[in-house]
Amino acid sequence: TAPILKAGNAGGIFIYIDGVAYGPVGARGTVARGISLKADDVRSSMPQAELQLIQPAQTTSTQQRADASDVND
């Protein structure tokens, strides 16, 4: 089975697969629950992120990154 994500501030969480950002995983300030980190699930359920949303000038010092590039089962 694929790893499942549960995290707060879902609007600030993006998932990278093969160098492509997807997300955010939910709305700003909400908790994301039950998000599959299987690469195919992410690609089919989330839009590719717009680059201006994730520029370093707009991020905080604590960045969270879920890399599902090698989760393909």
Side-chain angles (χ1 to χ4, degrees), residues 41-64:
D41 293 343
V42 171
R43 287 186 190 108
S44 67
S45 65
M46 293 182 201
Q48 284 189 11
E50 297 180 30
L51 294 179
Q52 65 268 21
L53 291 177
I54 56 173
Q55 292 300 318
Q58 297 178 2
T59 60
T60 63
S61 60
T62 303
Q63 295 179 350
Q64 296 178 357

Side-chain angles (χ1 to χ4, degrees), residues 6-73:
K6 178 182 177 184
N9 194 19
I13 299 175
F14 296 83
I15 299 171
Y16 289 81
I17 300 172
D18 297 327
V20 178
Y22 294 85
V25 299
R28 182 179 180 196
T30 64
V31 175
R33 292 179 178 90
I35 305 295
S36 170
L37 296 179
K38 183 177 173 186
D40 291 339
D41 293 343
V42 171
R43 287 186 190 108
S44 67
S45 65
M46 293 182 201
Q48 284 189 11
E50 297 180 30
L51 294 179
Q52 65 268 21
L53 291 177
I54 56 173
Q55 292 300 318
Q58 297 178 2
T59 60
T60 63
S61 60
T62 303
Q63 295 179 350
Q64 296 178 357
R65 177 178 156 166
D67 189 341
S69 61
D70 55 358
V71 179
N72 292 312
D73 57 337

